[in-house]
Amino acid sequence: MAVTGVFNVFSVRESIVAFCAGRAPNHHRPGFQNALLCSDEPRVKRQVTPQVTKCDISNSRQVSGLTVAAVMERKAGETILSGRLHFKKGECERMVLKEIPADNITRPLGRNEVIGLLFRLTIFGAVTYFTIKWMVDAIDPTRKQKVEAQKQAEKLMRQIGVQNVKLSEYEMSIAAHLVDPLTMHISWRDIAGLDEIITELKDTVILPVQKRYLFEGSRLLQPPKGVLLYGPPGCGKTLIAKATAKEAGFRFINLQPSTLTDKWYGESQKLAAAVFSLAIKLQPSIIFIDEIDSFLRSRSSSDHEATAMMKAQFMSLWDGLETDFNCQVIIMGATNRPQDLDSAILRRMPTRFHINQPSLKQRRDILKLILENEKVESAVDLSEVAKDTEGFSGSDLKETCRDAALLCVRDFVHNNDESADGDCIRPICQDDLQKAILKMKKSRSAGMHEAFKHLPLD
Ligand SMILES: Nc1ncnc2c1ncn2[C@@H]1O[C@H](COP(=O)(O)OP(=O)(O)OP(=O)(O)O)[C@@H](O)[C@H]1O
């Protein structure tokens, strides 16, 4: 077996020693010394010349596999010999030595050497960086989720016609929550009984963005950067936010607070920053945060450090929007519990709309809208239904109408041939609506706990 090695060998005056790289000359291995001309014997000394081609090394196994940088100095300060030694078992096969002027060792590095060194360092750095990144990616439990989000985001960006906008990895994961305007069919027409709020929203939020030229000269008349919709559940807050985005032509980022809670330290802050940078890149845009109280509730000492930092960062990024007068990004929050919101957040949401339980007239309007395209008997008195649905939210009214319509289908299925034409389903009558109202009242009074009491727990 041939053993190839490059060795450091140097002589101090008349004695020649060999050493492994990184070892002091006098700490070399004995075997190495024997093999590598590291003796004061005249025979060996003679061999350390460029002319020597053969050398007996009985102990070569000790250096097997060792590669050592080689410098050989015959007489201190005079000439330096460097060479590559090739060993076969037991003997030195070839020894090529060439003379290097001593200056070459002490002179500063040349331009090409520096470039070469930098090149090697760059390659080494890049390889290290990508290896570490690959390892971190491999052990990241949310990686699959991130890849999915990225694909979804790319698809949505194409759908909303956003091109040539470069997004970071974090912005991509937020972009997955963009709402495709094509799938957003909500308009003002789909909201009943909230005309006053809609008019106010149009004037305070949409107008300053749509007719910017009217407001350009004034800092006072800028669109609000924060809008809060508050009121009981199911009364149309989300509906209003979506319709605002649709009617104003804003891009709509439906931000789920859970998106910002990442296991990895520091990731949440990067994601929070990405929400704002993405919204700015896509402006005019609305960042909609449903149940904003769950995310930006009053800060307390029991808050996790990462959560507290993320909240603080969210607020400071929000302030950034406030100071940029050309920025067309609005944060719209919806909550059922405004009292739980952090006061610093409330201050940033000066434009507030209270969307309360619908009044009698509002309920009538909502019922009319919900049943607009359904088959309803002409004798149905919606005012009567509105009276009987005191305390119902818009969502309850919708559910009631759905139940009434289902009663018609059920009747049809039980009393008729299923293969018959769907046109035979009878229209909704007053009685259906009354039954549905009763059912809804029952489930409302029972409450959630009662409703789930009898469900098995597993
Ligand atoms: N004013 C309304 N006009 C028409 N439909 C309404 C109205 N209010 C509520 N609805 C119906 O109720 C559903 C739920 O409304 P929405 O999601 O906007 O309520 P929300 O106030 O955001 O509720 P939550 O606080 O639980 O999120 C809507 O999809 C819609 O069908």
Side-chain angles (χ1 to χ4, degrees):
M1 182 188 68
V3 182
T4 305
V6 182
F7 300 90
N8 274 354
V9 182
F10 79 98
S11 88
V12 179
R13 300 274 155 82
E14 289 308 301
S15 73
I16 297 165
V17 288
F19 61 95
C20 303
R23 278 170 178 260
N26 53 349
H27 288 142
H28 54 265
R29 296 176 172 199
F32 195 37
Q33 184 181 11
N34 293 341
L36 289 173
L37 334 164
C38 306
S39 153
D40 286 339
E41 278 179 43
R43 185 177 63 82
V44 179
K45 265 190 234 164
R46 272 201 309 280
Q47 285 173 344
V48 188
T49 66
Q51 293 82 37
V52 171
T53 53
K54 276 235 169 188
C55 146
D56 178 56
I57 49 160
S58 50
N59 243 337
S60 66
R61 62 189 159 75
Q62 291 203 24
V63 292
S64 170
L66 260 179
T67 305
V68 188
V71 176
M72 185 182 289
E73 191 176 296
R74 199 164 42 179
K75 258 193 182 172
E78 264 181 23
T79 318
I80 292 167
L81 301 170
S82 81
R84 184 179 284 265
L85 303 176
H86 299 266
F87 291 98
K88 243 195 203 167
K89 233 186 198 153
E91 64 166 336
C92 176
E93 200 181 42
R94 193 150 51 90
M95 182 174 175
V96 188
L97 296 173
K98 65 175 180 182
E99 297 211 351
I100 303 169
D103 289 358
N104 280 9
I105 304 299
T106 49
R107 71 176 165 77
L109 292 178
R111 191 167 157 268
N112 286 346
E113 285 166 323
V114 171
I115 292 173
L117 192 66
L118 285 176
F119 181 73
R120 282 197 291 275
L121 277 175
T122 312
I123 298 279
F124 177 74
V127 169
T128 312
Y129 170 78
F130 285 110
T131 310
I132 292 173
K133 193 170 181 300
W134 177 83
M135 280 164 62
V136 169
D137 277 353
I139 57 169
D140 181 359
T142 58
R143 188 167 166 269
K144 208 171 157 205
Q145 199 184 325
K146 281 182 187 161
V147 172
E148 289 290 313
Q150 193 144 339
K151 277 191 200 151
Q152 163 86 350
E154 279 165 9
K155 191 173 142 217
L156 279 168
M157 296 289 278
R158 274 197 304 276
Q159 272 175 5
I160 63 170
V162 177
Q163 277 161 355
N164 304 326
V165 176
K166 198 108 191 74
L167 299 185
S168 71
E169 182 194 333
Y170 297 98
E171 287 168 347
M172 275 285 184
S173 43
I174 300 295
H177 299 271
L178 270 173
V179 176
D180 175 9
L182 295 176
T183 62
M184 208 160 72
H185 297 297
I186 313 281
S187 68
W188 299 133
R189 274 208 70 259
D190 300 299
I191 304 172
L194 296 173
D195 299 342
E196 267 178 45
I197 288 176
I198 291 173
T199 311
E200 216 181 314
L201 257 168
K202 279 182 183 168
D203 293 348
T204 53
V205 180
I206 300 179
L207 200 66
V209 177
Q210 283 186 337
K211 301 211 184 312
R212 280 185 85 188
Y213 58 92
L214 292 176
F215 300 83
E216 249 160 22
S218 166
R219 287 190 168 192
L220 212 55
L221 295 174
Q222 295 304 312
K225 297 292 194 272
V227 176
L228 180 67
L229 307 170
Y230 67 99
C235 291
K237 298 183 291 293
T238 313
L239 220 53
I240 286 217
K242 286 189 175 167
T244 308
K246 173 90 175 172
E247 297 283 338
F250 287 15
R251 271 137 193 175
F252 191 79
I253 301 171
N254 193 5
L255 185 67
Q256 312 288 332
S258 59
T259 318
L260 300 184
T261 47
D262 199 293
K263 277 191 190 67
W264 298 91
Y265 192 80
E267 291 286 283
S268 293
Q269 282 157 277
K270 285 182 190 153
L271 284 166
V275 171
F276 286 83
S277 57
L278 176 72
I280 290 169
K281 282 182 186 171
L282 300 181
Q283 63 177 302
S285 54
I286 288 181
I287 301 169
F288 179 64
I289 313 170
D290 205 357
E291 315 290 347
I292 193 171
D293 54 293
S294 69
F295 168 48
L296 296 169
R297 62 169 55 243
S298 294
R299 281 164 290 177
S300 74
S301 51
S302 61
D303 272 359
H304 188 277
E305 187 197 347
T307 316
M309 276 164 73
M310 199 246 293
K311 277 186 198 174
Q313 196 202 10
F314 203 88
M315 286 191 229
S316 85
L317 289 162
W318 199 333
D319 288 340
L321 297 183
E322 306 263 2
T323 46
D324 182 357
F325 294 107
N326 294 317
C327 178
Q328 293 176 299
V329 175
I330 296 169
I331 298 182
M332 207 176 243
T335 178
N336 307 324
R337 305 181 58 82
Q339 68 277 14
D340 285 353
L341 268 176
D342 195 300
S343 54
I345 291 294
L346 277 175
R347 185 181 65 72
R348 286 168 175 82
M349 301 181 116
T351 313
R352 297 172 200 161
F353 297 97
H354 186 194
I355 301 165
N356 212 345
Q357 291 285 22
S359 64
L360 179 71
K361 183 182 175 306
Q362 284 172 320
R363 289 199 298 278
R364 215 198 90 88
D365 291 346
I366 295 172
L367 285 166
K368 198 169 159 213
L369 181 75
I370 295 171
L371 295 172
E372 195 177 48
N373 297 315
E374 305 298 324
K375 276 201 305 176
V376 183
E377 269 184 8
S378 53
V380 167
D381 183 355
L382 289 184
S383 304
E384 200 58 37
V385 179
K387 259 190 221 155
D388 291 345
T389 49
E390 168 95 62
F392 278 32
S393 66
S395 165
D396 292 338
L397 291 174
K398 189 174 177 189
E399 205 46 41
T400 305
C401 294
R402 204 175 72 87
D403 267 343
L406 269 176
L407 284 176
C408 305
V409 177
R410 202 178 296 165
D411 271 2
F412 172 76
V413 172
H414 290 304
N415 304 329
N416 295 284
D417 174 10
E418 274 187 56
S419 60
D421 190 354
D423 279 351
C424 298
I425 296 175
R426 64 174 176 77
I428 301 168
C429 66
Q430 190 83 21
D431 194 40
D432 297 323
L433 286 163
Q434 290 305 333
K435 280 182 186 157
I437 291 169
L438 265 180
K439 188 179 162 201
M440 176 58 77
K441 278 186 176 165
K442 255 190 198 167
S443 72
R444 278 165 56 87
S445 63
M448 291 293 280
H449 296 300
E450 288 299 316
F452 291 107
K453 215 173 183 175
H454 308 293
L455 286 181
L457 289 175
D458 55 342

